[in-house]
Amino acid sequence: MFTIENNQLKAVINAKGAELTQLILKEHQLDYMWGGDPAIWGKHSPVLFPIVGTLKNNTYYYNGQAYQLPRHGFARDKQFAVESQSADTITFLLRNDAETATVYPFAFEFRIRYTLVDNSLAVAYEVVNPDKEDLYFSVGAHPAFKIPLAPGTEYTDYYLQFNQVETTPRWPISPDGLIEQTPLPLLQNTNRLNLTKDLFQKDALVLKGMPSTIVTLGSGKTPRGFRFDYPGFPFLGIWAAKNADFVCIEPWCGIADSVATTQQLQEKEGINKLVAGETFTRSWTVSLL
């Protein structure tokens, strides 16, 4: 485990998966992250790379060859190296190796940088293509925030508020983990989603192309909450395990396969292409209240 901190926050990150496991607001000695109870969902904030979500039959095709990847890819289970660290910043690095080549035939450098500034944690993803061939990938976040955050409050006392008024449907997920072709109503001329555990009885809320780039967790019963900024991510997932006391805010550059997928990697919805020597960067920031 590695720790960074400033005068307001302390963050603890596991080198396995470069996974954020604790984010503590020092003034209140309050950890905002889900505790990772393995009986419910044993993770805290896994990184999704080189795919987001589920592949049809866990299989994709590239240059006429079939490859298998589990849901959300392999990065969350890989040991990252620490490339650099200071008091309030740490950068983790994962490179392709012989093991990744058997399931993902691309050279890559994948960095995750955590930086604390005042009451905010910025998480940056950097993907570099060091090869002469094109690199195809997806990347996404999956941080789980504890709810309720304050004594005397319940899950249903909290809501998510977007920075734009939205009329946005959700895209249902099939029993096989694929994106259905017909969306269902969710947000209708509103910027607010009241949290209930019933929202997640049929898996995640999957949203596409929203104008909003900020979502705030708030409550009328406590000032504790957070602001979550995610510019540049075309997809957003909102999820919790069934009846669990957390909510995941998941900005994605990539998405699970459609039920109508061709399974060809270059044709996959949301796939990102990097030409030789190119660098891709995205970042999200959570500010604790």
Side-chain angles (χ1 to χ4, degrees):
M1 294 291 186
F2 294 85
T3 299
I4 56 174
E5 56 186 309
N6 63 12
N7 62 343
Q8 296 189 44
L9 301 180
K10 175 181 177 181
V12 180
I13 305 107
N14 191 340
K16 181 181 179 182
E19 182 178 4
L20 176 67
T21 61
Q22 292 182 283
L23 184 59
I24 297 168
L25 186 62
K26 289 183 175 181
E27 180 183 359
H28 300 281
Q29 283 302 298
L30 176 60
D31 185 1
Y32 277 58
M33 302 303 295
W34 160 248
D37 183 347
I40 299 172
W41 187 63
K43 295 186 178 295
H44 309 268
S45 182
V47 62
L48 318 181
F49 178 88
I51 60 166
V52 170
T54 301
L55 298 170
K56 185 177 182 179
N57 299 323
N58 291 324
T59 302
Y60 69 92
Y61 294 88
Y62 182 71
N63 285 346
Q65 186 168 339
Y67 297 90
Q68 282 73 47
L69 279 174
R71 177 185 292 181
H72 297 322
F74 52 69
R76 61 182 181 168
D77 297 315
K78 297 285 284 185
Q79 197 74 18
F80 281 66
V82 175
E83 187 174 51
S84 63
Q85 182 178 9
S86 66
D88 57 9
T89 303
I90 188 167
T91 301
F92 293 89
L93 172 62
L94 181 68
R95 288 190 171 100
N96 58 288
D97 57 25
E99 184 179 47
T100 65
T102 63
V103 294
Y104 185 64
F106 300 97
F108 64 87
E109 296 176 4
F110 179 36
R111 289 175 175 84
I112 304 177
R113 181 174 297 107
Y114 294 92
T115 304
L116 297 175
V117 179
D118 299 328
N119 68 323
S120 299
L121 170 68
V123 182
Y125 303 131
E126 178 185 279
V127 182
V128 177
N129 181 0
D131 204 2
K132 297 178 181 179
E133 304 296 327
D134 293 338
L135 168 60
Y136 293 90
F137 70 96
S138 295
V139 64
H142 202 313
F145 299 99
K146 176 169 56 184
I147 300 179
L149 281 169
T153 62
E154 300 178 357
Y155 198 91
T156 52
D157 292 329
Y158 294 81
Y159 58 84
L160 296 176
Q161 184 166 309
F162 296 93
N163 67 312
Q164 301 284 343
V165 172
E166 298 280 353
T167 295
T168 301
R170 63 176 294 189
W171 293 82
I173 299 174
S174 76
D176 297 328
L178 309 182
I179 304 299
E180 299 276 13
Q181 291 185 281
T182 304
L184 299 175
L186 181 67
L187 299 174
Q188 297 289 335
N189 196 35
T190 183
N191 65 351
R192 183 158 162 166
L193 179 67
N194 293 320
L195 288 178
T196 70
K197 294 181 178 179
D198 289 343
L199 279 173
F200 310 111
Q201 292 303 305
K202 294 185 178 180
D203 212 322
L205 307 180
V206 176
L207 311 173
K208 299 183 183 183
M210 297 176 69
S212 292
T213 58
I214 302 169
V215 62
T216 300
L217 178 81
S219 171
K221 295 187 177 181
T222 174
R224 301 283 75 76
F226 59 78
R227 168 177 161 154
F228 193 100
D229 292 64
Y230 58 100
F233 290 86
F235 307 99
L236 182 69
I238 305 171
W239 177 79
K242 288 185 179 180
N243 301 313
D245 288 331
F246 66 84
V247 66
C248 291
I249 309 297
E250 306 180 39
W252 302 330
C253 288
I255 195 171
D257 273 353
S258 163
V259 293
T261 180
T262 66
Q263 297 181 264
Q264 300 295 322
L265 188 62
Q266 298 100 313
E267 299 172 2
K268 180 174 172 57
E269 183 179 9
I271 201 72
N272 299 280
K273 175 184 173 180
L274 272 183
V275 301
E278 200 170 47
T279 299
F280 170 101
T281 58
R282 290 291 187 279
S283 64
W284 56 269
T285 301
V286 60
S287 304
L288 304 189
L289 306 173

